[in-house]
Amino acid sequence: MIGIVYISVFMLLLLVGIIHGIYARENYEVETGFAVIIFMYFIGQALYFVSFNLSVENYFKIEISQILWKISIFIRIFSIGLMSSIHSVELHKHSKIRFLAIIIYLFLEGIIISLLIFPNSFLTLQQDNNYLYFFQDVTLLVFIFVFNLAIIIFLGISQIMGYKNFNDKNLAKFFSSYICLLSLNIIVYSIFLITQNIISRTLHVILYIINSGFVLYVIIEKPALFLVFTNKIFDFIIFHKSGILLYSYDFQASREVDESLLKGSILIGINHILANFTGVENQLDHIKMSDKGVVFNFQNDLGYAVLLIAKHKNKILEKAVQKFIKKFSDQNKEKLLNLSGLIDVSVFKDAGKLIKECFSKYYIKV
């Protein structure tokens, strides 16, 4: 009954993760759609581990165990395919072939699921307290192997080619280590499918728990995981409605910059908007860059605008900009209302502290 022990250890790790997530929830920011996908992945991982361990030991009658065995195969290919797809799409947002892995996974998953439906896919034997599942349908076994190989290949290639796209290089190293562990476990699992050997099964389960513990460690150690997976902030610029640069910060160089270092196309776009500043209610999309995301917002009452240039634009960044504007306006309301003639921008140097506060998760060691 060692399977119950494995399940208990895994559930303990999951419980620790849930408790930590609730306790430190203010440290995690993630878009709703991405959060749903991640949640589905972790649920799939948990369901696979439970169904796998319950199916290989004689907790139930053989008919029920066979159903659990097939369920474990189905959930495994779904969850691991989902994870690999997320990895590929997030690392290669601007690549035209970023969905290639998803298409191949769906194709293989469809074939595997259709073959699992047949009742005589496996010959089930009982050996002591264990059930052994030998493939009677060789085609099913071949396609599971092809799927496993595709996961290893796509994860490896995607990680190597997309390594430069990670904002946090320490996080990139974590992912590389995880992919190596996962690939090793996929190989061990594939060996177990052929041999039904107890040793390979035990090794697969232990590696699975180690993988899960590693993921838990990364999530706790890197709360910005879901926020800055590949996203980067390049420039943060504050302009007065007169066109004067009040403050600018370069995230990649981690320093303040002056107007002379800003790109001309940015200045032209800003000045065009500022020329029509009064009475404008929504200027979020007036500045566009082909290879970057731009968040533009303004405070019409106080006469200044904020421009943020990032690798990808999303609602999290927009909320962070709004948070900054509120704090900046509260702290500098009198100064902004009384600006006239020759403007002394040095009085806005404290904006740097607010930027670090509102965008702290983007201050990454590379």
Side-chain angles (χ1 to χ4, degrees):
M1 299 297 176
I2 189 68
I4 295 297
V5 176
Y6 292 141
I7 292 173
S8 300
V9 172
F10 181 84
M11 288 304 175
L12 179 61
L13 287 174
L14 186 63
L15 182 62
V16 170
I18 293 173
I19 293 175
H20 175 78
I22 295 174
Y23 178 76
R25 60 187 179 276
E26 67 278 0
N27 295 328
Y28 296 89
E29 291 183 87
V30 58
E31 291 186 276
T32 303
F34 191 65
V36 171
I37 294 175
I38 293 297
F39 177 76
M40 290 172 60
Y41 167 68
F42 284 122
I43 291 297
Q45 291 286 284
L47 290 176
Y48 162 72
F49 193 77
V50 171
S51 59
F52 176 84
N53 281 282
L54 292 180
S55 68
V56 295
E57 295 187 25
N58 63 343
Y59 299 105
F60 306 103
K61 293 182 179 180
I62 193 169
E63 293 81 10
I64 297 177
S65 295
Q66 285 176 334
I67 295 174
L68 288 173
W69 172 252
K70 289 187 176 184
I71 289 175
S72 73
I73 293 176
F74 166 73
I75 295 178
R76 176 186 172 275
I77 64 173
F78 170 77
S79 62
I80 202 173
L82 182 63
M83 183 276 294
S84 183
S85 298
I86 296 171
H87 181 263
S88 177
V89 172
E90 286 297 314
L91 275 185
H92 308 281
K93 282 183 179 290
H94 299 296
S95 173
K96 294 181 180 180
I97 61 172
R98 65 187 183 278
F99 296 114
L100 177 62
I102 300 177
I103 295 172
I104 292 177
Y105 294 153
L106 289 175
F107 173 73
L108 294 174
E109 287 171 4
I111 295 176
I112 292 171
I113 293 171
S114 64
L115 293 174
L116 277 174
I117 296 175
F118 293 103
N120 298 319
S121 301
F122 303 95
L123 173 62
T124 307
L125 302 177
Q126 184 171 354
Q127 184 181 80
D128 299 327
N129 293 324
N130 303 298
Y131 285 127
L132 308 178
Y133 300 92
F134 294 98
F135 283 82
Q136 288 187 304
D137 187 346
V138 179
T139 305
L140 174 58
L141 177 61
V142 169
F143 273 102
I144 292 177
F145 276 13
V146 171
F147 178 83
N148 290 343
L149 182 61
I151 291 289
I152 294 174
I153 291 175
F154 277 112
L155 278 176
I157 293 177
S158 181
Q159 181 69 11
I160 292 172
M161 295 182 63
Y163 191 88
K164 64 182 182 297
N165 293 329
F166 278 94
N167 185 28
D168 185 347
K169 297 307 178 187
N170 288 327
L171 183 59
K173 293 175 183 177
F174 280 131
F175 265 91
S176 296
S177 300
Y178 173 72
I179 288 173
C180 289
L181 281 172
L182 179 61
S183 298
L184 176 61
N185 199 10
I186 291 173
I187 293 172
V188 172
Y189 176 78
S190 300
I191 294 173
F192 167 67
L193 290 181
I194 297 176
T195 64
Q196 291 293 301
N197 182 274
I198 303 300
I199 295 177
S200 59
R201 187 185 84 190
T202 303
L203 182 58
H204 165 62
V205 172
I206 292 175
L207 284 172
Y208 199 93
I209 293 175
I210 293 174
N211 280 9
S212 301
F214 188 82
V215 171
L216 177 61
Y217 169 75
V218 173
I219 291 176
I220 293 175
E221 182 70 15
K222 293 288 182 180
L225 168 66
F226 305 116
L227 179 63
V228 293
F229 182 60
T230 60
N231 209 1
K232 298 179 182 180
I233 295 179
F234 297 105
D235 297 291
F236 191 94
I237 306 164
I238 308 173
F239 272 91
H240 186 251
K241 64 181 179 180
S242 63
I244 300 297
L245 175 70
L246 299 181
Y247 187 87
S248 179
Y249 191 88
D250 183 342
F251 274 79
Q252 299 307 298
S254 298
R255 63 181 175 86
E256 299 175 8
V257 296
D258 58 40
E259 186 170 359
S260 64
L261 297 178
L262 295 178
K263 294 180 180 180
S265 60
I266 297 175
L267 292 176
I268 293 172
I270 283 287
N271 289 328
H272 173 73
I273 293 176
L274 293 176
N276 302 281
F277 203 88
T278 305
V280 179
E281 296 182 355
N282 187 358
Q283 295 282 6
L284 286 177
D285 298 311
H286 278 236
I287 301 178
K288 297 183 181 293
M289 300 179 71
S290 60
D291 59 341
K292 293 181 177 67
V294 176
V295 178
F296 179 81
N297 214 326
F298 68 97
Q299 227 300 334
N300 204 27
D301 294 336
L302 299 180
Y304 74 93
V306 167
L307 177 73
L308 180 144
I309 302 173
K311 191 171 184 180
H312 312 298
K313 175 182 175 180
N314 57 40
K315 291 183 179 179
I316 293 175
L317 285 180
E318 290 178 358
K319 289 180 180 178
V321 169
Q322 291 170 1
K323 178 182 177 181
F324 171 86
I325 287 177
K326 184 178 186 306
K327 290 179 176 292
F328 184 77
S329 297
D330 290 342
Q331 288 187 12
N332 300 282
K333 184 175 182 179
E334 294 300 322
K335 298 175 186 176
L336 290 165
L337 288 174
N338 295 322
L339 283 182
S340 62
L342 185 62
I343 297 176
D344 179 12
V345 297
S346 64
V347 299
F348 299 106
K349 289 295 182 183
D350 287 345
K353 296 179 181 179
L354 289 180
I355 291 175
K356 290 182 179 180
E357 178 184 340
C358 297
F359 300 91
S360 59
K361 293 183 177 64
Y362 291 88
Y363 282 82
I364 303 296
K365 294 180 179 180
V366 295

